[in-house]
């Protein structure tokens, strides 16, 4: 049996932060907040995956400061209940596409 998941990847927005408590504790939440501010300068991209435009199930980023030639993937996480469905693979593919769109990779 194959389960099809309709997932949309988009840029993390400030309003999303409260719905990402499952990604880690207070220290991680602070890193997300700080990274979101850096993303507005274009040095970092943070993406979230949402199911049916109402449930956040994945989060990840690419940091262009760490490796200006290709960027560095980081903070990759999929909610425990949604693991094993290929969402993490799709998140990585979306992040890699973002880097290619910037002419990197």
């Amino acid at each position: 049996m194959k389960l099809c998941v309709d997932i949309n990847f988009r840029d993390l927005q400030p309003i999303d932060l409260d719905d990402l408590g499952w990604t880690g504790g207070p220290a991680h939440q602070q890193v997300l907040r700080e990274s979101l501010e850096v993303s507005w300068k274009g040095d970092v991209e943070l993406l979230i995956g949402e199911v049916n435009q109402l449930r956040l199930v994945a989060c990840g980023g690419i940091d262009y400061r760490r490796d200006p030639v290709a960027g560095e993937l980081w903070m990759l996480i999929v909610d425990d209940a949604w693991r094993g469905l290929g969402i993490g693979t799709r998140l990585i593919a979306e992040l890699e596409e973002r880097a290619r769109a910037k002419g990197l990779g």
Side-chain angles (χ1 to χ4, degrees):
M1 178 171 93
K2 185 174 182 177
L3 178 64
C4 293
V5 177
D6 183 24
I7 187 163
N8 177 54
F9 291 99
R10 62 174 175 80
D11 293 326
L12 177 69
Q13 300 297 316
I15 195 168
D16 299 320
L17 291 170
D18 290 338
D19 293 332
L20 290 172
W22 56 268
T23 64
H28 185 260
Q29 294 301 310
Q30 184 60 33
V31 169
L32 276 175
R33 289 183 201 301
E34 292 168 2
S35 298
L36 181 59
E37 290 181 23
V38 174
S39 75
W40 298 329
K41 298 176 189 173
D43 294 333
V44 167
E45 290 197 56
L46 292 172
L47 299 182
I48 55 168
E50 63 182 348
V51 175
N52 297 329
Q53 299 181 343
L54 50 98
R55 171 104 167 94
L56 303 183
V57 299
C59 182
I62 186 164
D63 190 333
Y64 300 110
R65 299 169 301 176
R66 296 181 187 204
D67 184 348
V69 175
E72 181 177 291
L73 298 177
W74 62 303
M75 287 202 297
L76 303 172
I77 188 165
V78 175
D79 187 326
D80 288 344
W82 293 84
R83 290 187 182 166
L85 300 174
I87 294 171
T89 300
R90 291 178 59 196
L91 173 62
I92 290 169
E94 182 68 29
L95 289 165
E96 289 174 336
E97 181 59 34
R98 295 283 184 107
R100 280 191 293 278
K102 287 184 89 120
L104 305 177

